[in-house]
Amino acid sequence: MSRRLTKRPLRPLTSLRVAVLTGVAAGALLVPATAAFADATPTPVASDVSPEGKDALEKKRSEDALRAKEAELRKAEAAKAESAKSASGKEFPRGGVAAGEAPAQDDNTGALVGSATGALLLAGAGTYVLRRRTAARREG
């Protein structure tokens, strides 16, 4: 039995399998990464708005204007509270964790899924290569 490498070309079906596996591996690794760049907010198009849609759009605009006014009032109240706090000289927590809130949880699900997928694909490719080499040694 010779352990020398043969110079015969790959069978067409084998190269097709390799191409399909490569495409699947690339897709499995890229899909979780594309979720980070996805924008789920719909944007209204002016030419596609029906009369009911126009009414809804006007209602939304008025609600947005009302929210903006409420935000301005909150800012003014916060400024008044800040000036009162500085006048009293007493230090209060600034908010967030210092005020007793729980810190936000990091969601690393995408990274975990991508890493696990990559590890499985690498293990599968290694198994495929090892089985192929073992079969080639048996055949001579």
Side-chain angles (χ1 to χ4, degrees):
M1 287 191 183
S2 171
R3 292 190 180 206
R4 192 170 46 125
L5 292 174
T6 60
K7 292 184 180 180
R8 63 186 169 103
L10 291 175
R11 290 179 282 168
L13 188 58
T14 304
S15 61
L16 178 64
R17 286 182 195 162
V18 170
V20 169
L21 288 175
T22 304
V24 168
L29 292 175
L30 292 176
V31 167
T34 58
F37 299 108
D39 186 18
T41 57
T43 56
V45 178
S47 63
D48 295 341
V49 178
S50 63
E52 297 88 19
K54 288 181 182 179
D55 293 339
L57 188 60
E58 287 298 321
K59 184 178 177 182
K60 184 177 181 333
R61 286 182 183 163
S62 65
E63 289 174 358
D64 289 344
L66 183 63
R67 286 187 191 129
K69 286 181 182 179
E70 289 175 356
E72 288 177 15
L73 287 175
R74 282 190 214 121
K75 285 182 183 178
E77 290 174 0
K80 286 179 185 178
E82 185 70 30
S83 64
K85 181 184 87 167
S86 63
S88 69
K90 190 174 181 183
E91 284 292 323
F92 293 104
R94 301 192 94 193
V97 178
E101 291 183 14
Q105 298 285 334
D106 288 335
D107 186 21
N108 294 329
T109 307
L112 291 174
V113 169
S115 298
T117 304
L120 287 174
L121 289 171
L122 185 62
T127 303
Y128 178 74
V129 168
L130 289 175
R131 291 185 74 194
R132 184 180 168 109
R133 286 185 182 176
T134 304
R137 285 183 186 164
R138 285 188 203 145
E139 292 175 2

